[in-house]
C-alpha cells in the first residue's frame, strides 16, 4: 500500500530497508537465483489479476504488527501455535482477494472520484497533518522521501475513493421499514412479570453419600479428566547481564562521545521560504518567466503565489512553507532555497520533480549546539546501556560456544562463566518455572529432537540482556494418573457430577408439579421458596442467563409458560412467566433504531455483494503460508 511507503519515507528508512532486503536475498538465494528465477511469485489470481506473494507478505507483516500492538505479550504466546499463524495469513489473503474483487467491480461500473474529492482527501490524510492542519512542507518531504510523484499519489487516492463510492452506495442503500423499527422499539421496552425458584447445587450435594465403587466407576468412565500432561525435567543456565550505572561512566568517555557525535546535539540551520510552482508542460517556462518579470516589476510575491501557483495548498498561504532543514526536500529546490542569503531575495527558476519554482526567503534560524552540561546525563545513560550490552554479548557468544563444544552437559559452561546450573522437577507447559515461561524455551524443552539426542539446546535469547541454554534430563509422556494418586480429586468430581444430575432432575420435577398446580407441596418438601419478579426489562439487574431465558419464553396461554435455566456454578433455576406488557406508542428511540437497522442492512448488502462476486469469480489460491514467519 502506498501509505506504508509514505510512512517508511517519513521515518527515513526506505533506503535501509531496500539495502537489507538486497543483502538477505543474495545471502539466502545466491546471485544465480536472479538469473534462474526472474518471475514474480503469485499468491492468488483473481479473474486474471495477480496478487503477488510479496504484497501478501507485506500485508501479513502489517497485520502481525497491528495484532502485536493490540494484544501485547499475549500475542507472543499465540504465535507459538502454527495454526493461529496460518489463520492470520489466510485471513489477510482473503481480504486482499475481496479488495481486488471490489476494485474490478468499481472499474466495471465506471465509478470515478472527482478532482475536488481527491484534493480534499489528500489534505485530510494524517500523514500530512501537523497540529491538526495540512502541512505543505511535510507533504512535499514525504513525497520526495518515498520516491512517489504527486500524480502517483493522486491516482492511488482516487482509487481508494472510487472504491469507497461503491461501498458507501451499498451501505447507504440499506433501509428499514417504519413498522419493523416500531416493533423493535416496542419490544425493546417490553416488561415481564414472572416467578422463579432457585435450586442450589450445594443443597443436593449435602444429601449424597458416595461409595468407593461409584468413585472408581467415574474415574474409569472419565479418564480424560485425570490425564497428566507430558512433562520434562531440565537443567538450564540463565545468563542475566547486570546493569551498568550511569554514575560509573568516566567523564572523559562522556566528553569523547559528545565530541564524536557533536552533530547529534546540534540544531542545523533552518529556513522559512515561500514558492510559486507551475506544473511542467509546454508553456510552463513562459508562464514562470512571466511571473518572474511581474515580481521584478514590484508585484507582491504572496499575491502572485495565491493567484498563479499550481501548488494550491501553499498558494492559499501566499506560497509559504514550514521551516525546513537542508537536505529534506527535492535536491534542486533544497539547493536553491539555501543559496538565498537575504530576506526577500528571489531565486532564479528552479526545476524539481514536481514542477518549476520561484523561491523567496522569508526568515532563517542559525544553527545551534547544545552544551555538554545539557546532554551529559543522556550520554552517560546511553554509554551505560552500551557497556552492559557489550559485556552481555561477549558472555552470550561464549555460552553458545561452550554449550556446543560440550553438548552432553552444562557443567563446563557454568564453570567457565561462573554461572549456576539450575535443575527443575517435572513440569508441563502449563506449570513451567517462571524462568522458563517463554514460548521459545518451552518449544525447545518439549521438542522430540532435543530429548532424543540428549544434547544442549541452542542459545535462546529472551531479550533485555537475558539468554539461556537448557538440557533435557528426563521426559514423562502424557498418561492417565493412577487412581490412588487422584482419589480425592475423583471423589470431588464424582460428587459434583451426581449433584448436577440430582439438581437437573429436581428442576424437571418442579416444572411438572408447577404445570399441574402442585408446586407448593413440592417446594415445601424441598425447603424452597418462590421469588416474584415484577416489571422486568431487558436492562434489569438480573443474571444474563435469566434475562435471556425470560424474554425468550412465549407469553402464557391456556398452559403456564415454564422454563428451566442452568446457571454458572451448577445451580438450576425454574422460571414461570405470568404476564407480558408491550407499549403501544413509539418512543424517542424510534429514529435511532431505524437508522441502526438500516446500517445493519447495508452491511448485509455488502456481504451479499462479496459473496456474489466470489461465486462468479475465477479465483485461484496459490500461496497462503510462508516457510519462515520470523522477522
Amino acid at each position: 500500500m502506498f501509505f506504508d511507503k509514505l510512512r517508511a519515507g517519513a521515518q527515513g528508512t526506505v533506503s535501509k530497508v531496500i539495502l537489507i532486503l538486497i543483502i538477505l536475498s543474495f545471502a539466502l538465494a545466491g546471485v544465480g537465483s536472479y538469473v534462474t528465477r526472474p518471475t514474480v511469485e503469485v499468491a492468488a489470481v483473481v479473474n486474471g489479476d495477480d496478487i503477488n506473494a510479496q504484497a501478501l507478505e507485506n500485508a501479513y507483516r502489517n497485520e502481525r504488527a497491528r495484532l502485536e500492538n493490540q494484544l501485547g505479550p499475549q500475542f507472543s504466546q499465540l504465535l507459538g501455535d502454527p495454526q493461529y499463524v496460518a489463520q492470520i495469513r489466510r485471513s489477510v489473503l482473503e481480504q486482499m482477494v475481496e479488495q481486488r474483487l471490489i476494485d474490478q467491480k468499481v472499474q466495471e461500473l465506471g465509478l470515478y472520484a472527482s478532482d475536488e474529492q481527491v484534493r480534499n482527501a489528500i489534505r485530510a490524510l494524517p500523514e500530512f497533518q501537523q497540529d491538526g492542519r495540512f502541512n505543505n512542507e511535510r507533504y512535499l518531504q514525504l513525497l520526495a522521501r518515498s520516491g512517489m510523484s504527486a500524480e502517483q499519489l493522486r491516482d492511488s487516492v482516487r482509487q481508494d475513493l472510487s472504491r469507497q463510492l461503491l461501498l458507501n452506495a451499498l451501505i447507504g442503500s440499506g433501509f428499514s421499514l417504519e413498522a419493523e423499527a416500531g416493533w423493535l422499539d416496542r419490544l425493546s421496552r417490553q416488561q415481564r412479570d414472572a416467578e422463579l425458584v432457585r435450586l442450589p447445587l450445594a443443597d443436593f450435594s449435602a444429601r449424597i453419600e458416595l461409595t468407593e465403587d461409584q468413585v472408581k466407576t467415574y474415574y474409569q468412565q472419565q479418564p480424560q479428566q485425570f490425564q497428566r500432561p507430558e512433562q520434562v525435567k531440565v537443567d538450564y543456565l540463565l545468563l542475566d547481564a547486570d546493569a551498568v550505572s550511569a554514575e560509573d561512566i568516566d567523564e572523559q568517555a562522556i566528553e569523547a562521545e559528545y565530541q564524536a557525535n557533536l552533530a547529534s546535539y546540534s540544531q542545523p540551520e533552518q529556513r522559512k521560504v515561500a514558492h510559486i510552482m507551475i506544473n511542467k508542460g509546454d508553456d510552463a517556462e513562459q508562464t514562470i518567466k512571466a511571473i518572474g518579470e511581474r515580481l521584478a516589476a514590484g508585484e507582491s510575491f504572496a499575491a502572485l503565489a495565491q493567484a498563479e501557483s499550481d501548488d494550491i495548498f501553499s498558494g492559499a498561504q501566499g506560497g509559504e512553507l514550514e521551516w525546513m532543514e537542508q537536505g529534506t526536500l527535492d535536491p534542486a529546490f533544497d539547493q536553491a532555497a539555501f543559496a538565498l542569503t537575504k530576506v526577500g531575495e528571489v531565486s532564479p527558476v528552479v526545476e524539481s520533480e514536481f514542477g518549476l519554482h520561484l523561491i523567496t526567503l522569508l526568515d532563517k534560524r542559525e544553527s545551534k549546539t547544545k552544551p555538554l552540561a545539557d546532554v551529559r546525563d543522556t550520554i552517560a545513560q546511553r554509554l551505560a546501556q552500551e557497556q552492559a550490552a557489550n559485556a552481555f554479548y561477549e558472555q552470550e557468544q561464549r555460552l553458545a560456544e561452550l554449550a556446543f563444544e560440550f553438548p552432553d552437559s552444562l557443567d563446563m559452561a557454568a564453570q567457565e562463566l561462573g554461572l549456576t546450573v539450575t535443575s527443575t522437577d517435572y513440569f508441563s507447559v502449563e506449570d513451567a518455572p517462571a524462568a522458563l515461561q517463554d514460548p521459545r524455551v518451552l518449544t525447545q524443552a518439549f521438542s522430540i529432537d532435543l530429548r532424543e539426542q540428549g544434547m544442549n539446546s541452542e542459545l535462546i535469547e529472551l531479550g533485555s540482556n537475558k539468554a539461556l541454554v537448557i538440557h533435557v534430563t528426563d521426559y514423562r509422556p502424557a498418561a492417565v494418573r493412577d487412581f490412588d494418586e487422584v482419589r480425592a480429586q475423583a471423589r470431588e468430581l464424582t460428587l459434583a457430577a451426581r449433584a448436577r444430575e440430582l439438581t437437573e432432575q429436581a428442576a424437571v420435577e418442579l416444572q411438572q408439579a408447577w404445570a399441574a398446580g402442585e408446586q407448593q407441596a413440592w417446594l415445601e418438601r424441598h425447603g424452597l421458596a418462590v421469588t416474584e419478579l415484577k416489571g422486568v426489562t431487558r436492562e434489569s439487574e438480573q443474571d444474563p442467563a435469566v434475562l435471556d431465558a425470560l424474554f425468550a419464553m412465549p407469553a402464557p396461554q391456556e398452559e403456564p409458560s415454564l422454563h428451566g435455566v442452568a446457571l454458572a456454578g451448577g445451580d438450576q433455576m425454574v422460571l414461570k412467566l405470568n404476564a407480558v406488557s408491550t407499549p403501544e406508542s413509539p418512543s424517542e428511540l424510534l429514529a435511532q433504531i431505524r437508522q441502526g437497522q438500516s446500517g445493519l442492512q447495508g452491511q448485509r448488502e455488502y456481504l451479499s455483494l462479496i459473496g456474489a462476486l466470489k461465486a462468479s469469480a475465477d479465483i485461484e489460491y496459490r500461496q497462503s503460508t510462508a516457510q519462515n514467519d520470523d522477522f
Side-chain angles (χ1 to χ4, degrees):
M1 295 293 291
F2 87 97
F3 291 119
D4 299 324
K5 195 174 183 183
L6 282 176
R7 293 190 183 99
Q11 299 168 6
T13 59
V14 172
S15 59
K16 294 180 183 178
V17 172
I18 293 174
L19 179 60
I20 291 172
L21 289 175
I22 293 174
I23 292 172
L24 288 176
S25 298
F26 272 83
L28 297 176
V31 177
S33 67
Y34 289 88
V35 177
T36 59
R37 297 179 60 192
T39 58
V40 176
E41 294 186 6
V42 174
V45 182
V46 183
N47 291 328
D49 287 349
D50 292 346
I51 297 176
N52 67 61
Q54 187 57 53
L56 170 61
E57 188 65 20
N58 291 340
Y60 166 68
R61 289 174 182 268
N62 289 337
E63 179 65 7
R64 276 188 57 159
R66 185 189 69 80
L67 290 172
E68 185 173 14
N69 183 61
Q70 176 181 332
L71 301 177
Q74 179 185 359
F75 185 65
S76 298
Q77 299 179 358
L78 292 173
L79 287 180
D81 183 358
Q83 293 183 349
Y84 177 76
V85 174
Q87 179 183 352
I88 296 176
R89 188 177 292 274
R90 284 193 299 269
S91 176
V92 170
L93 179 57
E94 199 61 34
Q95 291 175 19
M96 297 179 72
V97 169
E98 292 177 1
Q99 186 178 67
R100 186 61 57 90
L101 289 169
I102 290 293
D103 288 342
Q104 292 172 351
K105 191 65 177 178
V106 166
Q107 185 175 6
E108 176 188 338
L109 296 174
L111 298 177
Y112 186 81
S114 68
D115 292 341
E116 184 66 21
Q117 288 174 309
V118 173
R119 219 170 6 248
N120 292 336
I122 292 175
R123 291 179 64 89
L125 287 174
E127 287 81 1
F128 303 143
Q129 298 282 322
Q130 186 170 338
D131 298 328
R133 297 178 58 190
F134 177 81
N135 185 298
N136 194 75
E137 179 187 1
R138 184 168 179 79
Y139 165 76
L140 295 174
Q141 286 177 353
L142 294 184
L143 284 182
R145 289 182 180 181
S146 66
M148 177 177 289
S149 68
E151 289 77 11
Q152 289 174 316
L153 174 60
R154 286 197 294 268
D155 290 344
S156 185
V157 172
R158 193 185 304 278
Q159 181 184 21
D160 288 342
L161 291 176
S162 299
R163 184 186 304 129
Q164 195 63 40
L165 288 174
L166 174 61
L167 300 183
N168 288 342
L170 279 173
I171 296 175
S173 65
F175 65 93
S176 173
L177 297 175
E178 185 173 356
E180 178 185 13
W183 270 109
L184 289 173
D185 175 37
R186 292 193 293 275
L187 287 175
S188 68
R189 295 179 290 123
Q190 190 180 82
Q191 296 183 355
R192 296 196 166 201
D193 298 339
E195 296 172 277
L196 63 83
V197 175
R198 185 166 189 145
L199 289 72
L201 181 69
D203 290 357
F204 292 87
S205 298
R207 306 172 189 174
I208 300 173
E209 294 183 2
L210 292 177
T211 66
E212 185 78 355
D213 288 341
Q214 288 176 317
V215 176
K216 283 186 177 180
T217 299
Y218 184 87
Y219 165 80
Q220 294 167 353
Q221 293 176 343
Q222 306 290 334
Q224 71 279 1
Q225 296 195 34
F226 307 99
Q227 186 87 1
R228 182 190 64 226
E230 63 174 344
Q231 297 175 317
V232 293
K233 282 184 177 182
V234 304
D235 290 342
Y236 69 90
L237 284 179
L238 176 63
L239 184 62
D240 189 353
D242 295 328
V244 178
S245 172
E247 298 177 357
D248 298 332
I249 303 300
D250 184 71
E251 288 295 330
Q252 292 182 349
I254 296 175
E255 173 73 25
E257 176 71 11
Y258 174 76
Q259 294 296 334
N261 296 278
L262 203 58
S264 301
Y265 310 111
S266 299
Q267 172 66 56
E269 179 185 359
Q270 293 182 319
R271 296 201 169 195
K272 178 180 280 291
V273 300
H275 80 133
I276 299 171
M277 186 186 81
I278 301 300
N279 291 331
K280 294 179 182 180
D282 294 339
D283 57 351
E285 292 186 8
Q286 293 180 355
T287 302
I288 198 75
K289 182 179 179 182
I291 294 173
E293 291 173 352
R294 293 170 64 182
L295 286 171
E299 292 193 42
S300 166
F301 192 98
L304 283 172
Q306 190 169 12
E308 304 294 345
S309 180
D310 286 336
D311 182 356
I312 59 174
F313 303 121
S314 68
Q317 308 298 323
E320 182 177 331
L321 304 177
E322 298 296 327
W323 287 95
M324 60 180 287
E325 297 175 4
Q326 196 160 11
T328 58
L329 294 181
D330 179 273
F333 189 99
D334 189 277
Q335 182 178 359
F338 278 85
L340 300 172
T341 58
K342 298 179 181 179
V343 172
E345 182 181 355
V346 179
S347 72
V349 175
V350 179
E351 181 176 353
S352 75
E353 179 183 356
F354 306 103
L356 303 179
H357 309 260
L358 289 171
I359 308 169
T360 186
L361 179 62
L362 301 178
D363 199 359
K364 61 181 178 180
R365 295 170 179 166
E366 301 299 333
S367 61
K368 297 179 183 178
T369 301
K370 294 181 181 179
L372 175 59
D374 290 352
V375 296
R376 182 202 173 282
D377 292 344
T378 301
I379 295 175
Q381 185 64 37
R382 187 173 71 253
L383 290 177
Q385 293 173 351
E386 290 177 356
Q387 287 188 14
N390 291 337
F392 171 76
Y393 177 75
E394 293 177 2
Q395 284 190 302
E396 182 184 45
Q397 296 303 306
R398 188 57 183 151
L399 175 57
E401 293 170 359
L402 291 169
F404 178 77
E405 293 171 1
F406 303 95
D408 298 334
S409 170
L410 296 173
D411 293 339
M412 289 297 296
Q415 182 177 348
E416 179 169 330
L417 296 175
L419 301 174
T420 301
V421 177
T422 302
S423 300
T424 73
D425 197 353
Y426 286 107
F427 67 87
S428 66
V429 171
E430 290 75 19
D431 61 3
L436 306 181
Q437 289 179 1
D438 184 284
R440 293 162 292 188
V441 177
L442 295 175
T443 298
Q444 291 277 350
F446 287 89
S447 67
I448 297 176
D449 293 342
L450 202 62
R451 65 171 178 260
E452 289 185 349
Q453 295 171 1
M455 299 175 63
N456 298 329
S457 73
E458 297 178 351
L459 185 82
I460 305 171
E461 296 183 351
L462 302 179
S464 301
N465 288 349
K466 290 185 180 181
L468 58 72
V469 175
I470 65 172
H471 187 97
V472 178
T473 58
D474 201 1
Y475 171 75
R476 193 156 63 179
V480 177
R481 292 184 173 94
D482 293 336
F483 177 73
D484 291 339
E485 182 184 353
V486 296
R487 183 189 304 272
Q489 179 188 6
R491 184 174 187 82
E492 183 178 336
L493 292 174
T494 306
L495 180 63
R498 180 61 181 151
R500 283 194 299 272
E501 291 177 3
L502 293 179
T503 309
E504 293 168 359
Q505 180 181 346
V508 173
E509 292 176 359
L510 175 56
Q511 290 183 63
Q512 294 172 346
W514 218 328
E518 302 171 354
Q519 74 277 8
Q520 193 59 42
W522 191 95
L523 292 172
E524 289 176 358
R525 286 198 307 272
H526 292 81
L528 299 173
V530 174
T531 300
E532 290 192 10
L533 301 177
K534 292 289 187 179
V536 177
T537 68
R538 298 177 191 271
E539 287 75 34
S540 295
E541 294 183 0
Q542 294 286 341
D543 189 308
V546 173
L547 287 178
D548 290 343
L550 182 60
F551 280 89
M553 294 171 65
Q557 302 294 333
E558 295 181 0
E559 297 292 332
S561 182
L562 296 163
H563 187 71
V565 182
L567 302 177
D571 289 359
Q572 290 283 326
M573 185 173 288
V574 176
L575 289 167
K576 178 177 179 290
L577 178 61
N578 293 330
V580 177
S581 175
T582 305
E584 293 296 331
S585 58
S587 72
E588 67 279 1
L589 299 176
L590 180 60
Q592 293 182 359
I593 292 175
R594 191 171 184 183
Q595 183 179 5
Q597 286 298 110
S598 297
L600 290 174
Q601 182 61 31
Q603 294 177 17
R604 288 192 287 267
E605 293 288 347
Y606 169 74
L607 294 176
S608 296
L609 173 64
I610 291 296
L613 292 177
K614 284 184 176 180
S616 61
D618 182 9
I619 303 173
E620 179 184 356
Y621 295 93
R622 298 184 181 178
Q623 178 181 339
S624 62
T625 59
Q627 294 181 352
N628 186 5
D629 282 317
D630 297 330
F631 65 96

